[in-house]
Amino acid sequence: MKKFIVDRIEGTKAVLECENGEMVNLELKALPKNIKEGDVLNFDNGSCFLDEQETERRKNEIKELMKALFVD
């Protein structure tokens, strides 16, 4: 299974970042509906699905890092 993070959406394409840092452009129609920047996608045996748990975990991790940076 390969994991990608939605870096950005440009028109009809999504720019995905692979675990190794490589960037890949894919058509939005080939991906799950309603994806957004920061979502984690898993590709396995030709299927692609949104990993909601990993997406939420990453969002929480980023929130905590931001709090640590901006503590008075």
Side-chain angles (χ1 to χ4, degrees):
M1 179 170 14
K2 282 196 150 200
K3 184 185 302 186
F4 293 83
I5 298 165
V6 179
D7 182 67
R8 63 188 179 278
I9 295 173
E10 297 178 341
T12 61
K13 296 189 184 228
V15 180
L16 309 178
E17 182 177 357
C18 186
E19 293 173 294
N20 66 8
E22 256 182 69
M23 303 302 271
V24 177
N25 296 320
L26 288 178
E27 291 288 331
L28 282 174
K29 63 184 175 185
L31 300 171
K33 293 184 188 278
N34 301 322
I35 62 165
K36 55 195 174 303
E37 293 174 359
D39 283 348
V40 177
L41 302 175
N42 289 324
F43 287 79
D44 193 22
N45 293 327
S47 295
C48 174
F49 59 94
L50 176 62
D51 187 336
E52 293 178 21
Q53 280 186 314
E54 182 64 10
T55 297
E56 191 62 30
R57 186 197 68 73
R58 287 177 44 81
K59 283 182 184 178
N60 289 332
E61 182 180 341
I62 291 167
K63 278 183 195 175
E64 292 303 313
L65 288 170
M66 294 298 284
K67 275 188 207 176
L69 283 173
F70 297 107
V71 171
D72 293 356

